Amino acid sequence: MSRRDISEFTIRRLSLYLRSLRELREAGTEVVSSRQLADGSGTTPAQVRKDLSLFGSFGKRGRGYQVRELLETLESILGLDRQWRVALVGAGKIGRALLGYADLERRGFRVAAAFDTDPEKIGTSHYGVTVRALEELEETLRAEQVEMGIIATPPAAAQDTATRLVEAGVTGILNFAPVKVDVPPEVTLRGVDVVLELEGLSFALTSDVAGGSRREPGSAAGG
Amino acid sequence: MSRRDISEFTIRRLSLYLRSLRELREAGTEVVSSRQLADGSGTTPAQVRKDLSLFGSFGKRGRGYQVRELLETLESILGLDRQWRVALVGAGKIGRALLGYADLERRGFRVAAAFDTDPEKIGTSHYGVTVRALEELEETLRAEQVEMGIIATPPAAAQDTATRLVEAGVTGILNFAPVKVDVPPEVTLRGVDVVLELEGLSFALTSDVAGGSRREPGSAAGG
């Protein structure tokens, strides 16, 4: 089975199962049921069993899963049994908030370098990471063997940043700039967009589609 | 058709079409093809036509869509032809970054109030929003007619914050805390989780599932 065949949703659920398993391990729990994993991630026991079955056979019907072993297996599946080296481009508010986010390193993502174009930011240090001039991007990424990039630039700079990250060998990009960026097919791109999430809430909070919100362009009705 | 039947993915694509349409309007473009909308949002022309057909009939085959009219219709569908009043709980790094994010207000989301429990933060102002004591949450939300809440608290405070927001009348919540929160079914919840996104990249960047990453709990193999 190719990893490309596994949906983004399945992966998200695996991350949520892993989070539950970490909490259970900290609490000293040794065995967990698919029901408990489901409750901890907003899904169903059947979905849990189906997701895990994609990667082999785990647990025994009615006897649950061994917390520690399932946790290690999920970490291995997700590629979290190692540390990833990440570059951050853009040391503005979002970028600095990310640098201060201790969970990143704890979860296996080390920010190995940060970059900005603002002379006032270059040379400053945040949580142990020094902001470098953008000109140093390619050289630094190769020297630090960076594999992932986080784009936290203004929208206008996002595409150029993505292109440079890819040319410097990055194969996974997380884009915080509220704009679409293009990357080659072999590069994996994820986006975090606050406005997009709020628009999703707006849609859900807006009452059901009525006549007034259907409108035919070119017709006078509903204008 | 109920809005509940429309997938989160469709809504995300509508947001992306809307973003393309806004750029086109700013550029003075009057007509757009489904191909152009597809290219601007990483999908196919057929998907664009299918998504839009959920909400009525737009455009004419081979003649494209009127930019201004489709834009206004999408804004109406997404509930963006009005302003939403949003409360922010947690004025730490992420919270303050959100307060400074000018696009929120421009896109129809006004942060009407911000809250924290830290005496050093209470009373400070960020981008025109004064941080209040959490004790004032219920009273303020009712007075300001807040409908959406953003949780940017530490994980341990997230569930209590969600419960209080819901009790104060909020029906849409965006959760930045890296923990699952429960809300009643009538409340819409979205989550933004940086670690989850990075774990998705980690999965994609990890080579295809091989024998070594399949492991049967209880067996000695693969240990």
Side-chain angles (χ1 to χ4, degrees):
Chain A
M1 173 181 52
S2 165
R3 301 194 143 227
R4 290 253 164 188
D5 298 335
I6 296 168
S7 81
E8 191 177 315
F9 284 107
T10 305
I11 310 310
R12 284 179 177 271
R13 286 193 301 267
L14 295 182
S15 281
L16 294 173
Y17 305 154
L18 181 58
R19 190 184 288 170
S20 293
L21 289 163
R22 283 171 172 154
E23 287 170 11
L24 290 165
R25 181 179 57 181
E26 279 170 35
T29 309
E30 289 183 8
V31 178
V32 62
S33 66
S34 46
R35 161 65 66 191
Q36 284 171 287
L37 285 177
D39 288 348
S41 53
T43 183
T44 63
Q47 184 70 63
V48 171
R49 289 190 291 267
K50 191 179 162 202
D51 288 338
L52 296 179
S53 74
L54 289 173
F55 301 95
S57 66
F58 304 105
K60 291 215 171 94
R61 183 166 287 272
R63 289 182 50 190
Y65 305 95
Q66 295 292 322
V67 168
R68 197 176 54 82
E69 294 188 67
L70 185 57
L71 191 156
E72 286 173 8
T73 306
L74 281 183
E75 283 185 338
S76 164
I77 289 169
L78 288 166
L80 300 172
D81 46 2
R82 46 156 295 180
Q83 192 180 59
W84 294 93
R85 299 171 74 79
V86 182
L88 170 73
V89 184
K93 288 182 291 281
I94 293 276
R96 292 199 303 271
L98 289 169
L99 287 177
Y101 190 40
D103 249 20
L104 286 193
E105 180 132 12
R106 196 138 47 90
R107 294 299 177 230
F109 303 94
R110 194 168 85 70
V111 180
F115 302 91
D116 207 292
T117 55
D118 180 352
E120 302 222 334
K121 295 198 182 98
I122 296 165
T124 61
S125 274
H126 307 270
Y127 307 93
V129 181
T130 302
V131 179
R132 302 174 197 229
L134 191 61
E135 290 76 51
E136 299 175 32
L137 182 102
E138 287 77 8
E139 191 187 346
T140 308
L141 263 60
R142 291 207 174 88
E144 297 277 344
Q145 298 181 293
V146 166
E147 298 153 298
M148 292 184 186
I150 300 180
I151 302 177
T153 66
Q159 180 62 59
D160 185 52
T161 301
T163 304
R164 289 180 67 171
L165 286 169
V166 170
E167 283 173 4
V170 159
T171 53
I173 292 178
L174 181 54
N175 178 28
F176 278 86
V179 67
K180 182 177 170 278
V181 299
D182 291 315
V183 294
E186 67 274 17
V187 175
T188 304
L189 177 74
R190 294 259 196 146
V192 171
D193 186 330
V194 176
V195 170
L196 212 75
E197 300 296 338
L198 288 172
E199 288 182 356
L201 291 183
S202 169
F203 177 84
L205 267 56
T206 300
S207 49
D208 267 21
V209 178
S213 61
R214 298 195 183 207
R215 187 156 36 163
E216 302 236 2
S219 79
Chain B
M1 175 182 51
S2 164
R3 302 193 142 228
R4 291 255 163 186
D5 299 334
I6 296 168
S7 82
E8 191 177 314
F9 285 105
T10 305
I11 310 310
R12 283 178 178 271
R13 287 193 300 267
L14 294 182
S15 281
L16 293 172
Y17 305 154
L18 181 59
R19 189 184 289 169
S20 293
L21 289 163
R22 282 171 172 154
E23 286 170 11
L24 290 164
R25 181 178 57 182
E26 278 169 35
T29 309
E30 289 182 8
V31 178
V32 62
S33 66
S34 47
R35 162 65 66 190
Q36 284 172 287
L37 285 177
D39 288 346
S41 52
T43 183
T44 63
Q47 184 70 63
V48 170
R49 288 190 291 269
K50 192 179 162 203
D51 288 338
L52 295 180
S53 73
L54 288 172
F55 302 94
S57 66
F58 303 105
K60 291 213 171 96
R61 183 166 284 274
R63 288 182 52 189
Y65 304 95
Q66 296 291 322
V67 167
R68 197 176 54 82
E69 293 188 68
L70 185 56
L71 190 156
E72 286 172 9
T73 306
L74 281 182
E75 283 185 337
S76 165
I77 289 170
L78 288 166
L80 300 172
D81 45 2
R82 47 157 295 180
Q83 193 181 59
W84 294 93
R85 299 172 75 77
V86 182
L88 170 74
V89 185
K93 289 182 290 282
I94 292 277
R96 292 199 302 272
L98 289 168
L99 288 176
Y101 190 41
D103 248 20
L104 285 193
E105 179 131 14
R106 196 138 46 90
R107 294 300 176 230
F109 303 94
R110 194 168 85 70
V111 180
F115 303 91
D116 206 291
T117 54
D118 179 352
E120 301 222 335
K121 294 199 184 100
I122 295 165
T124 61
S125 273
H126 307 270
Y127 307 93
V129 181
T130 302
V131 179
R132 302 175 197 229
L134 191 62
E135 290 77 51
E136 299 175 32
L137 183 103
E138 287 77 7
E139 191 187 345
T140 308
L141 263 59
R142 292 208 174 87
E144 297 277 344
Q145 298 181 296
V146 166
E147 299 153 296
M148 291 183 186
I150 299 180
I151 301 177
T153 66
Q159 180 60 60
D160 185 52
T161 301
T163 304
R164 288 180 67 171
L165 285 169
V166 170
E167 282 174 5
V170 160
T171 52
I173 292 178
L174 181 54
N175 179 28
F176 278 86
V179 67
K180 181 177 170 279
V181 299
D182 290 314
V183 295
E186 68 273 17
V187 174
T188 304
L189 177 73
R190 294 260 196 146
V192 171
D193 186 330
V194 176
V195 170
L196 212 74
E197 301 296 337
L198 288 173
E199 288 182 355
L201 292 183
S202 168
F203 177 84
L205 267 58
T206 300
S207 49
D208 267 23
V209 178
S213 62
R214 297 196 184 206
R215 187 160 33 168
E216 304 235 2
S219 79

